Amino acid sequence: MLMVTLLYLPGLAAAHNFVVGKAVSPIAISDGGELVLNDDSIRYQPWNSAQLAGKVRIVQYIAGRKSAKKKNSLLIKAVEKAHFPDDVFQPTTIVNTDDVIFGTSYFVRGKIEKNKRRYAWAQFIIDGGGVGRNSWQLPEESSTIFVLNHQGQIVWAKDGGLTEKEVSEVIKLLWVLISEQERSAAKHETD
């Protein structure tokens, strides 16, 4: 695992405060929160970063702006195409609705709710107060991607748009982490 992490270290140069091998700085979001789908209705519940542990994750923290969404659309499409097993993997999108074009917050929330209905297996969180951006020292009007192992530890991170090569590297990294998680789970079942 250390070799894999070292292989991807160049992707870590950025403004954020993420440290490889550590969990993200703890945050709790109550202004908005996690979208929970029940039939066709959506409710919001408080969310905190401790809930990131348990599955391999790719997390996108994004400003509620079209320009920010476009920065990592290649990665989102690649994750969809990969068909990762949802018992050990979950994509998490945290949308900062404190960082929107004035007057568009309502429309941004509507779009996120539509995405939750379309991708029920994915996790969507509204950060109405910009708690994540402030705590994690992320740039405004942007998109930050980070990859977590099943223990909730940072493995890879980058602010801004990913290149095609970086998208490919992240997908490969996710498969490695998923394989490790599946082997670990199988070992625990036999112990």
Side-chain angles (χ1 to χ4, degrees):
M1 183 62 201
L2 180 60
M3 270 317 249
V4 171
T5 301
L6 292 175
L7 179 66
Y8 294 100
L9 276 177
L12 291 168
H16 54 71
N17 64 6
F18 302 138
V19 178
V20 171
K22 303 281 185 188
V24 296
S25 300
I27 64 168
I29 297 174
S30 57
D31 183 359
E34 182 175 0
L35 282 70
V36 178
L37 184 62
N38 186 8
D39 292 325
D40 195 45
S41 67
I42 290 181
R43 67 179 171 82
Y44 291 76
Q45 68 183 20
W47 179 87
N48 70 70
S49 56
Q51 296 169 345
L52 291 170
K55 290 188 176 189
V56 172
R57 293 187 190 272
I58 185 154
V59 181
Q60 177 178 217
Y61 188 94
I62 183 172
R65 300 168 179 263
K66 270 189 181 177
S67 59
K69 180 182 176 187
K70 288 180 183 179
K71 288 185 183 200
N72 283 305
S73 60
L74 281 177
L75 178 65
I76 302 310
K77 289 176 185 170
V79 168
E80 286 180 44
K81 284 183 185 177
H83 298 288
F84 295 121
D86 60 8
D87 58 327
V88 293
F89 171 82
Q90 187 175 38
T92 298
T93 301
I94 306 171
V95 180
N96 180 2
T97 58
D98 189 47
D99 187 357
V100 296
I101 296 171
F102 181 76
T104 63
S105 183
Y106 174 80
F107 299 106
V108 171
R109 282 182 181 244
K111 181 69 172 165
I112 301 305
E113 289 180 5
K114 182 179 176 184
N115 284 341
K116 178 61 181 177
R117 287 182 178 97
R118 184 173 176 197
Y119 306 105
W121 51 275
Q123 184 178 46
F124 293 91
I125 297 136
I126 298 287
D127 183 359
V131 174
R133 188 184 71 75
N134 293 328
S135 179
W136 296 335
Q137 301 173 5
L138 305 177
E140 292 181 346
E141 301 181 18
S142 193
S143 169
T144 298
I145 300 291
F146 53 101
V147 175
L148 303 174
N149 63 19
H150 72 280
Q151 296 163 322
Q153 299 165 329
I154 296 282
V155 179
W156 190 94
K158 183 182 176 189
D159 295 317
L162 276 63
T163 65
E164 285 185 33
K165 182 180 178 193
E166 288 169 328
V167 168
S168 178
E169 289 172 352
V170 166
I171 296 299
K172 288 176 189 172
L173 175 60
L174 288 167
W175 278 118
V176 168
L177 294 170
I178 288 166
S179 294
E180 288 176 358
Q181 169 59 13
E182 289 175 333
R183 280 194 306 274
S184 175
K187 184 178 182 224
H188 287 310
E189 286 178 13
T190 58
D191 287 348

